[in-house]
Structure formats: structure tokens, C-alpha cells
Amino acid sequence: MSASQPDFRSFAVPPTRQHPGWIAISAIRQFRGLVIPAIILLWSRGGRGDGGGLLVFALLTAATLLWQIALWWNLTYEVLDGRLIVRSGALSRRERFVPLERVQAVDLADTPLQRVFGLATIRIETAAAGVKEADVRLEAVPRMDAEALRAGLLSARGVAVPIEEPAPPLFTLSTIDVLKAGATSGRIAPALAVLIFVAQLANEVLPDGAWSGLAERAPAVGVWGAVGVALAGALAAWLIAIFGAVLTWSGFELHREGDRLRISHGLLDRRRTSVPISRIQAVSVREGLLRRPFGLAEVTFTSAGWGKEGKDAGTLAPLIPVAAATVLIAAAAPRFSPPAPVPVLASPPPRAYAGYLLAAMKPAAALLAAAILLAAWLPNAAWWWGLLALAAVPVAAVHAWFELRDTGSGIDDGRVLVRQGGLNRTLTVTIPERVQWRQVLQNPFMRRAGLAHLALGIAGGRGKTATTVRQLPIAVVERLVAELANEGGPVLVDGYTSRHRDAPVAARGPDSKRMPFDERRDAGAGAGGAFRGSGTGGASPAP
Amino acid sequence: MEPGAGMPLDRRAMTLWRIEALLAGVPALLISLGMAWVARVATPWPGWVAVVPVAAAVLWIGWSAGPGASLRWRWWRWSVERDEIDLAHGWLTRTRTVIPMARIQHVDTTTGPVERRLGLATVVLYTAAGASVIPALSDVEAVAVREQIAALANVHRDL
């Protein structure tokens, strides 16, 4: 096909519906939200032989299915006269006209569920960046039709489309790796959620008094019984974690497209993120407790300030050998790749152990208090059974030691490195331009020992903005704070190019008598101040 | 040991904090009285247990309305330079925060009801990673500082 004189009108597709498989895919998505309430209602009512709940749910199911069928019937796409026309909506109708020359990119993707039907999602990105629902998404197009549509759209747009092999992903996760990721995640939160749900369910179903009966019998099972229950619980949590990983991470793909990263993952619900690399604030390599023996890690990032629905954190690789992580980051976000090998970082001296121990004892003390209260509450059990939780104290002491041993910070090759230790070890890499503020904290004990915490403000990351290195020697902290002033001076827009305006400052600033900085301004300018390293030089006039 | 270089806050900050401590103390005292009542009536614990929460509340109010406010004022220092804003505070736990001018997203002044009566205002500095404050400046000074920081941050603006 000649790309020299694009003819938008030559490519046409008659009005077409999606594959009926869309009804199933969409219905499954709708039903997922209904499953748990349905189970609760059925269980709670089932005991009383009342069929009302069942009927309600049968009606709801039927209505949902009918609604999906109506949506499917009314959604058509068409290419005519150089425009893509998408008509949709069952009650309120919507027609979208997308001029083909506005089409920016056309992506194909499929989930395992779509593959069952031989379908693909086609996503047509338009020029209206940042607008909600700017993209056209057709979620159930037969694979062949989707490829033809993609080729047609792109060639009609006038882009010479060499049967373009999409760039290979930077990182993918095989099924085995997904299972490994689940098996080594060490996450118990999902298991707790399931446990709470089951407990609520049991509360609904079991006759009154079952709980107190259980509590009375609890001491009778003996120590081995308790150990057995604990082991069974751990096994269940482990299986739930694996199951959760399969749902979340199946088909993980990381692509780099120019200055953006595209990430997609998920078995039933495909989650897609597209992150401008320039918005990345920090990258972390996290070696979890269960992953360290295998040399495996998870690579995550935080980002900030891109659009209203922008997520503030994401994953570059759910599971990757530590050695490969550096290579991956170098390809995905080069400015954040940790130097290999990681240089020797300034670390807390052994006298800082007291501080680490104290911090680690807080959760241990809370656990102990909770255990004693629980034991005192259980009938037939003495309060001092709770003292079994004292076992947490040596664990906390060991944890504190690992924390101390692995913690460190340093600036190397334009990168700010923070390693936080413990049973999990995390290396966070950022650049001076992304450090929003820096903070030195000292309590009286630390002052006496000549130690201080260093906290760095890094944007994004689910509300947690401070990355703290604890109990470093105060001299080291002061040096890092000062070094960051030198390195972080110039403003690097997008992290790559300086658009720093070299405007004179002296003329500004009303009411300069009371300002303490007025005396310092001249001194600062003489020393080069913030303009050091900006590429233009402090004294050069603006062009 | 003496606090470092920089400007202190307005002296009226102490008055502000004392008033705020007393205002916050009212509900705290009520809650502690409630706890004392529960301890007396609903538990077999000895009588002195009931005194503990009330004593704690009174001590806390007395400290923060008295010497606490003075020490807090004494250890607060702030300075706005061309490239960075430097904040230091805290008597027991000392905190020093350095915010590069280039990271300032925007600057606000806020004034609570008590602050307004006293002629005080707070400067709030926003970065992409949260906000910092210079509390309790005189309102004239707060506005001047805000304008100054806005102008300096504009020079460094990266957006």
C-alpha cells in the first residue's frame, strides 16, 4: 500500500457488531461484584428455607444478562468516509466519530478469557490526550478482524505500516513465574480478608452459641492441636496468596513505547497502565523474605502528577532475578537504574542498634498485650498463656539486627540510593531532582549518640511520601543533605532536559527589609547557588 | 544548646498555641473524666486508677499551654533563601526540613479563627510530596513571605 498519498476514503468497514462472546465477558465482569453478596444472602437465608433471596438473585441475574445483550446488540463500529463511527448505548445512545487522521495508535491485546473465544481487545488511541474515555475500546473483536482493522486504520491514517512487528516486551511473566510470585509473596492480607469473610459467613450460618462452645473447647485441643491449626492456616494463606497472584499477575507485560511505559496484567480483569517515564519519581527493588534465598525480587515504581486518574504507583516486574532487575530498569527507566554493583552505602553504626531494637519492640509489645488480653478473655485459659507471644521478642531483635545491617544511603552517579533492611530488603533509587524535600530528625537519645534520621520526600506511592533512613551518623546525614543541594539544584524538566529559566532574582521580592534571605541572596549568587550544573551556567544571559 | 540560624516566629505564636491547647484540652478532659467514671463504676479496680487519665489530661494541657508553648516557639527557626527554604523546629525531637525552591508547587497563607484575632497567619508550602508550614507569622509578614516564595519559586518553575 502506498503511503505517500493517503486516501482516507479507501478503507471502509460496514457496521459491525462485536462477537457475541462479549456478552459473556461483560456479564462475568458484572457478576463478579455480585458474587459475594449473593453467597451471603443465599447462606443466611438458606437455613430458614426461604426462597426469596434465590428469586431476587435469579431476577437480578436475568436482568443483568438481558442488559448485556442489549448493550451488545446496540454497539456497532463502522469505518466510512475516513471516519471511525462507534454507536453504543442501550437506553441513551451515543455516537462517536473519530477522524482517522486523529488516530494515534491502535493496540491489540487479549486476556486468557478472550483467547477462549478467539477474541481480542482493540484499543484506538485518539489525539485527545488526558480526556476521560478518549480511547475507543472494542473488547470482543475476532482476532483476524481486529488485525485487519488495525492495519486498515493505520494505513488509512497515512502511516506507512510495514507489517509492523510490535516491539518485544521488556518484561513478561510466564505461568510458572506467576505461581512462584504467589508462592513467595508472603502476603497474608488477602488471606485475612478471606478469613474475616468466612468468619462473618459462619456467624450467619452457625447456630447461636457455637462460638462460645468453640472457645470453651479451645484449651482441650492442646498444644499440638493449636500448632496443627496454625499450620493449616498458614497453608491456606499461602494457597490464597498463590491464587491471588494468578488473578493479578497472569499475562504480565511491560512495554516501552517511546517515552511511555505500558503495563498490562490480570487474568479476568486486565489492568492497563500507561506511564510517562518522565513522571516516574522513584524505582524500588524489593527482596521479600521468601524471595531472598532464591535471589528474586519485585520491581516497583512511584509516579506523580499525570492526569486525574493517574495511578501513583505501579509494578515493573512482579518477580525477577535481582541481577536482571538492574538491566530491566536500565531499559525501562534508565535514570533510575541502580549502579551495578551497588556501591558501599553509608550505614548506621553498631551503636544505632538500641534505636532499631526499640522501634522493633513496639509491634512486639502490642502483640504481647493483645495475646494477654485474648488469653484473659478465653474461658478456661489463664492470662499468662498470652506470654507465649514473648516469642515475638527475639524475632523482633533479629529483625532489628537485619534492619541495621542492611540500611544505608548514598549518592552515586547522579542517583540517590536508599536501602531499607529487615526481613524484607528494599533498594529505592531516585534522582536528586525528584527529592521534594529532605529532613533531619533527632530525639535526645540520638543527639547523645550523634545519630539522626534522614527523611526524603518523594512524590506518589499511595500517600506515603517520606522515605526514611534511620539512625545514620549525624555527619553523614549533614553531608547527604548538603550533597543533595548541590546535585538537585538545576530543575530538570521531564528528567532529561533543562528548561530552567535563568531570570534575575534581585529585582523581585517586595518588602525586602524584613526578609532574612535578602542578605544571603548576594552571597548565594556569588557561590553559584541553584544554578550550578544547569547547563547554561549561572552568569550566562538568557537567549 | 541554642537553636540555629534563621528567623523566629512571631511572639504571639505562644499565645496562639496556649489558646489552642486550652481549646483542645476541653474535650480531652471530658473524655478522661468519662474514663475515670467508667473505671470507678464499672470495674473492680482500686480508686487511684480513676485518677490516672484525668491527671494525664491535666498534665498534658498544663504542659502544652505552659512551658511547652514557650519551648516550641523558642526552637522554631525559618529562613527563605534564594534556592531553598530551611525550617527547623522541636525542642525534644528536633526536625530540620529543607525544601528546594524548585520543588515548590504553590504557596498559600491560611488563617484560623484564633489566628485572625491575634493578627497571625500560617504559610503553607506545597510540594509534590506533601505540604510544610511556617506557622504563626504576623499576617503582614506571612503575605510578604508568600509573595517572596512565589516569586522565587517562579524563577525555578519547571512546569
Side-chain angles (χ1 to χ4, degrees):
Chain A
M1 182 169 294
S2 164
S4 57
Q5 195 62 29
D7 180 3
F8 291 126
R9 274 148 228 276
S10 67
F11 176 63
V13 175
T16 314
R17 277 193 191 92
Q18 296 183 93
H19 188 276
W22 184 85
I23 301 168
I25 292 169
S26 183
I28 287 173
R29 198 165 45 208
Q30 300 294 324
F31 283 135
R32 257 194 342 221
L34 283 176
V35 165
I36 288 174
I39 292 175
I40 291 175
L41 202 66
L42 285 181
W43 273 79
S44 62
R45 296 201 157 224
R48 277 158 234 157
D50 178 2
L54 203 62
L55 189 66
V56 167
F57 269 96
L59 286 176
L60 266 180
T61 308
T64 310
L65 261 180
L66 281 176
W67 178 247
Q68 300 308 320
I69 291 171
L71 286 177
W72 168 75
W73 182 259
N74 283 311
L75 198 155
T76 63
Y77 61 92
E78 178 182 3
V79 180
L80 189 69
D81 291 338
R83 290 182 304 185
L84 170 70
I85 306 158
V86 180
R87 298 185 178 86
S88 62
L91 289 178
S92 59
R93 306 298 307 269
R94 181 175 178 193
E95 291 195 358
R96 293 189 67 176
F97 292 82
V98 182
L100 293 194
E101 67 265 30
R102 296 281 168 75
V103 170
Q104 297 290 303
V106 184
D107 293 341
L108 293 188
D110 55 14
T111 65
L113 189 64
Q114 286 175 311
R115 255 172 258 153
V116 171
F117 295 100
L119 303 176
T121 295
I122 186 160
R123 194 173 64 87
I124 298 152
E125 197 177 301
T126 66
V131 181
K132 208 181 172 194
E133 290 177 34
D135 298 345
V136 174
R137 282 181 68 153
L138 301 168
E139 288 181 308
V141 181
R143 186 87 207 181
M144 300 279 281
D145 295 0
E147 307 235 348
L149 185 59
R150 175 173 186 271
L153 288 173
L154 288 179
S155 63
R157 195 186 60 167
V159 174
V161 196
I163 304 305
E164 182 187 329
E165 283 295 312
L170 290 180
F171 184 76
T172 58
L173 209 58
S174 69
T175 309
I176 295 289
D177 285 340
V178 171
L179 295 174
K180 278 191 207 162
T184 58
S185 72
R187 290 187 60 199
I188 54 166
L192 282 180
V194 170
L195 192 71
I196 289 168
F197 170 63
V198 168
Q200 279 174 349
L201 210 62
N203 228 0
E204 294 274 340
V205 175
L206 292 175
D208 293 345
W211 282 121
S212 47
L214 203 65
E216 275 160 29
R217 251 169 277 140
V221 282
V223 175
W224 291 112
V227 169
V229 168
L231 280 180
L235 184 67
W238 191 60
L239 291 176
I240 290 167
I242 293 177
F243 181 68
V246 169
L247 280 185
T248 312
W249 298 123
S250 284
F252 183 94
E253 283 193 5
L254 167 69
H255 286 269
R256 179 168 175 175
E257 288 171 11
D259 55 1
R260 293 175 88 87
L261 295 177
R262 270 191 211 291
I263 301 159
S264 56
H265 57 91
L267 183 66
L268 300 175
D269 183 17
R270 266 326 253 182
R271 259 166 271 177
R272 279 163 230 280
T273 330
S274 173
V275 192
I277 295 172
S278 60
R279 301 294 187 199
I280 291 180
Q281 306 288 316
V283 173
S284 293
V285 180
R286 184 168 184 274
E287 299 166 80
L289 175 65
L290 298 176
R291 289 176 181 170
R292 276 168 86 167
F294 306 104
L296 295 170
E298 174 189 29
V299 183
T300 57
F301 66 90
T302 60
S303 62
W306 45 286
K308 284 172 223 147
E309 342 159 45
K311 284 175 103 182
D312 57 3
T315 301
L316 293 183
L319 189 78
I320 190 170
V322 174
T326 306
V327 181
L328 174 70
I329 301 169
R335 297 217 52 202
F336 296 89
S337 68
V342 175
V344 176
L345 302 175
S347 53
R351 68 175 184 277
Y353 184 61
Y356 279 91
L357 195 62
L358 201 63
M361 283 306 150
K362 280 179 201 161
L367 185 69
L368 187 64
I372 289 177
L373 282 178
L374 181 71
W377 172 78
L378 280 174
N380 300 349
W383 65 267
W384 47 263
W385 283 40
L387 293 181
L388 280 173
L390 278 174
V393 170
V395 174
V398 171
H399 178 70
W401 172 250
F402 277 111
E403 276 185 303
L404 169 75
R405 200 194 58 178
D406 286 339
T407 295
S409 183
I411 301 172
D412 184 84
D413 194 20
R415 285 151 175 86
V416 183
L417 306 167
V418 172
R419 194 168 53 210
Q420 286 157 317
L423 299 177
N424 304 315
R425 183 167 61 185
T426 307
L427 177 68
T428 302
V429 185
T430 185
I431 49 179
E433 298 90 292
R434 292 288 179 264
V435 178
Q436 305 291 332
W437 43 259
R438 38 203 203 277
Q439 201 169 55
V440 185
L441 295 106
Q442 267 190 316
N443 65 30
F445 301 112
M446 294 162 73
R447 270 200 297 282
R448 193 171 306 158
L451 300 169
H453 296 326
L454 169 66
L456 304 176
I458 295 169
R462 311 216 158 103
K464 176 182 157 289
T465 53
T467 299
T468 306
V469 197
R470 293 186 286 150
Q471 313 268 3
L472 290 177
I474 180 71
V476 170
V477 173
E478 301 279 5
R479 178 172 62 76
L480 288 171
V481 167
E483 269 185 45
L484 277 170
N486 297 339
E487 301 231 6
V491 178
L492 296 190
V493 173
D494 294 345
Y496 296 97
T497 52
S498 174
R499 223 190 291 152
H500 177 65
R501 270 180 287 143
D502 211 352
V505 197
R508 307 206 189 205
D511 201 6
S512 53
K513 277 194 285 290
R514 70 178 78 234
M515 295 300 133
F517 42 81
D518 276 299
E519 300 94 76
R520 295 160 197 232
R521 181 181 290 152
D522 296 325
F531 298 96
R532 192 177 308 140
S534 67
T536 55
S540 67
Chain B
M1 203 177 142
E2 286 297 307
M7 300 276 284
L9 303 179
D10 193 289
R11 289 194 75 90
R12 285 170 289 177
M14 285 181 276
T15 317
L16 171 71
W17 293 331
R18 291 194 172 111
I19 293 169
E20 282 177 350
L22 292 175
L23 288 177
V26 172
L29 203 60
L30 286 177
I31 290 169
S32 69
L33 283 171
M35 286 163 75
W37 182 77
V38 168
R40 268 216 85 87
V41 174
T43 69
W45 296 337
W48 59 266
V49 173
V51 181
V52 172
V54 182
V58 169
L59 275 178
W60 177 69
I61 296 165
W63 170 260
S64 42
S70 310
L71 281 168
R72 191 168 157 200
W73 179 82
R74 197 173 129 72
W75 284 93
W76 239 109
R77 290 289 182 275
W78 59 276
S79 68
V80 176
E81 298 174 32
R82 191 184 62 169
D83 307 320
E84 296 191 319
I85 295 163
D86 205 325
L87 313 174
H89 62 93
W91 165 65
L92 207 56
T93 295
R94 285 184 203 149
T95 307
R96 178 178 166 227
T97 310
V98 183
I99 309 164
M101 210 50 93
R103 308 289 180 273
I104 300 283
Q105 306 254 333
H106 64 276
V107 201
D108 285 354
T109 46
T110 65
T111 314
V114 184
E115 275 181 307
R116 192 161 352 168
R117 284 285 167 80
L118 291 168
L120 295 174
T122 294
V123 180
V124 190
L125 312 160
Y126 293 90
T127 70
S132 303
V133 295
I134 308 175
L137 300 178
S138 80
D139 44 16
V140 180
E141 188 170 34
V143 169
V145 170
R146 184 191 69 201
E147 295 303 318
Q148 190 90 31
I149 293 174
L152 288 168
N154 220 13
V155 174
H156 288 276
R157 183 138 312 269
D158 59 337
L159 293 173

